[in-house]
Amino acid sequence: MSNQKVRKGEELNEVLLKKYLQENDLLNSLESQVSVTQFTHGYSNLTYLLAFENKEFVLRKPPIGAIKRGHDMHREFKVQSGVRGAFSKVPKMFSFSEDTTILGSDFYIMEKVDGIILNYTAAKERNLSASEYTSVANSWLETMTQLHAVDYKEVGLESLGKPEGYVSRQVTNWGKQFLKVKTATYPEAALVMEWMEKYQPKEYQHCLIHNDYKYDNIVFKDDAWKEVAAVLDWEMATLGDPLMDLGTSLGYWTVATDHEFVKQGIPSPTIFEGNPIRSEIAQMYAQKSGRNVDHLVFYYVFGLFKIAVIAQQIYYRYTKGFTTDPRFASLNKAAELCCKLALKAIKTKSID
């Protein structure tokens, strides 16, 4: 993940930040220099690298103009603190603050995990072989099944979500969120929402799920690609149907045979040779987890729709002037594309 200068309008008050760091035993002296740069890859919460006194930490805070839902820093801090007790691939949490006078919002500080984040740009630069991608995909999927096997009660996360009725609530809530931030008429979106309402599963298992599990939220220990050092971005983690987690992952899983517009709209290293196709990932998950994936079209369609809503929410904030990040200017097109892909999957009854 690359980090650069802080974007205009997203600067941190370094005087108050240094005071906070010292009060929480992270900074030894107010005279020390604190370097603040911003991770530029993410599209949601703002993430910064803090470097001082030969140490590095990561600070996370909500984007400007964000609603609490989906950007709840205290919840994210609590989830990672709890999960770490049973699933070691989580950064160590150091401190959380709800004092909005410091940085304009609540925020938390966590460990910076060293390793490799394989986003699209990094993947192109590294030019991995087909066999390396096979290892990447296997390690990525193995870690997901390990997460889904965590005993959430054992680590005190029973209150994290309400697994009963989870699928129904998700279909309803994401539909409502889409209508709230809609900036144009998407006929495909209406058809997809109607279909999901009708064909959603009534019975399903539940476990701890990440809800945004993709290559660029994973830190690999090294370029052997055999070990995942950490899973990042836990803002949407909850208790629910594990196949909803898988469906979202498959929504991001573009492949070489997808239309060029799809590959540009959802850029992912999964397009490169050696990565399994979506149906192969589903079968691999079934083998590793022992779960039935016969009804995966619903979960894939839901995953695509959820990605559409996330893109549309960010685009909506962009149109309101809450962010000036130029990457957000065409996210309405990405939202429309995801709805079209979801409708295609419904009509073809296929996730490939």
Side-chain angles (χ1 to χ4, degrees):
M1 187 184 288
S2 59
N3 56 301
Q4 301 171 2
K5 286 183 178 179
V6 177
R7 285 189 292 262
K8 189 176 180 182
E10 296 176 353
E11 300 90 352
L12 305 180
N13 184 321
E14 294 191 26
V15 173
L16 295 179
L17 176 60
K18 283 173 74 170
K19 187 169 179 282
Y20 174 83
L21 292 171
Q22 188 184 46
E23 288 172 352
N24 285 271
D25 300 322
L26 297 174
L27 183 72
N28 293 324
S29 168
L30 288 174
E31 302 301 314
S32 298
Q33 285 292 112
V34 176
S35 165
V36 179
T37 50
Q38 188 172 23
F39 290 109
T40 55
H41 180 70
Y43 281 77
S44 187
N45 289 324
L46 304 180
T47 309
Y48 303 83
L49 176 66
L50 311 180
F52 52 87
E53 299 173 347
N54 297 315
K55 297 176 288 190
E56 289 184 323
F57 298 90
V58 171
L59 184 148
R60 296 256 295 169
K61 70 189 294 289
I64 297 160
I67 54 172
K68 186 80 169 176
R69 184 184 180 91
H71 301 285
D72 188 336
M73 295 294 99
H74 186 243
R75 184 179 185 277
E76 194 172 323
F77 181 83
K78 179 187 171 188
V79 169
Q80 291 178 94
S81 300
V83 173
R84 190 176 163 85
F87 181 75
S88 63
K89 297 168 184 179
V90 182
K92 183 181 177 183
M93 300 293 107
F94 286 102
S95 67
F96 165 79
S97 176
E98 58 185 358
D99 184 351
T100 59
T101 65
I102 302 171
L103 300 180
S105 68
D106 54 359
F107 64 92
Y108 69 87
I109 295 173
M110 66 179 179
E111 167 192 24
K112 179 186 180 288
V113 179
D114 292 325
I116 303 167
I117 296 177
L118 202 62
N119 59 37
Y120 181 73
T121 304
K124 279 186 75 175
E125 289 172 355
R126 288 180 174 274
N127 195 25
L128 275 65
S129 67
S131 62
E132 285 178 303
Y133 272 118
T134 302
S135 293
V136 167
N138 193 65
S139 299
W140 174 88
L141 195 60
E142 184 66 40
T143 301
M144 178 190 253
T145 55
Q146 288 171 6
L147 173 63
H148 289 173
V150 167
D151 185 340
Y152 62 85
K153 293 178 181 175
E154 193 178 287
V155 293
L157 291 175
E158 299 99 321
S159 62
L160 182 60
K162 299 174 183 173
E164 298 302 324
Y166 175 77
V167 172
S168 177
R169 283 197 310 277
Q170 290 295 294
V171 169
T172 300
N173 291 342
W174 284 98
K176 285 180 179 175
Q177 287 180 58
F178 181 79
L179 295 174
K180 195 182 293 184
V181 296
K182 194 171 73 164
T183 52
T185 302
Y186 300 138
E188 295 86 359
L191 292 169
V192 169
M193 285 190 281
E194 188 180 320
W195 182 88
M196 289 192 301
E197 191 67 44
K198 187 175 180 181
Y199 290 102
Q200 60 183 277
K202 304 298 182 188
E203 294 182 9
Y204 44 86
Q205 297 177 332
H206 64 264
C207 63
L208 176 65
I209 58 177
H210 182 272
N211 258 332
D212 198 22
Y213 193 84
K214 50 197 173 87
Y215 275 2
D216 58 5
N217 278 338
I218 302 299
V219 183
F220 284 95
K221 184 180 178 183
D222 52 42
D223 60 7
W225 313 112
K226 299 289 186 185
E227 188 177 339
V228 170
V231 179
L232 307 176
D233 286 5
W234 291 78
E235 61 202 78
M236 291 192 284
T238 190
L239 306 179
D241 185 344
L243 296 185
M244 295 287 256
D245 216 1
L246 181 63
T248 301
S249 298
L250 292 173
Y252 286 112
W253 197 278
T254 48
V255 296
T257 52
D258 284 335
H259 191 281
E260 204 58 41
F261 188 50
V262 175
K263 290 186 281 190
Q264 289 174 10
I266 312 175
S268 170
T270 53
I271 65 166
F272 298 119
E273 186 183 355
N275 284 288
I277 60 174
R278 287 183 287 268
S279 58
E280 289 172 339
I281 281 289
Q283 289 308 315
M284 287 165 65
Y285 178 83
Q287 289 165 7
K288 288 176 183 291
S289 68
R291 292 190 170 96
N292 185 303
V293 296
D294 289 349
H295 302 292
L296 208 59
V297 169
F298 168 82
Y299 295 102
Y300 176 58
V301 166
F302 172 81
L304 285 168
F305 182 72
K306 188 169 86 169
I307 296 166
V309 179
I310 292 167
Q312 185 63 32
Q313 284 174 328
I314 299 169
Y315 177 73
Y316 181 80
R317 285 207 310 273
Y318 177 82
T319 63
K320 297 295 181 184
F322 291 129
T323 176
T324 57
D325 190 327
R327 295 175 305 157
F328 300 166
S330 60
L331 282 182
N332 59 326
K333 301 294 183 187
E336 184 179 19
L337 169 66
C338 286
C339 291
K340 287 180 175 178
L341 290 175
L343 196 58
K344 178 189 171 189
I346 291 168
K347 289 178 176 177
T348 62
K349 299 179 180 175
S350 171
I351 67 172
D352 287 327

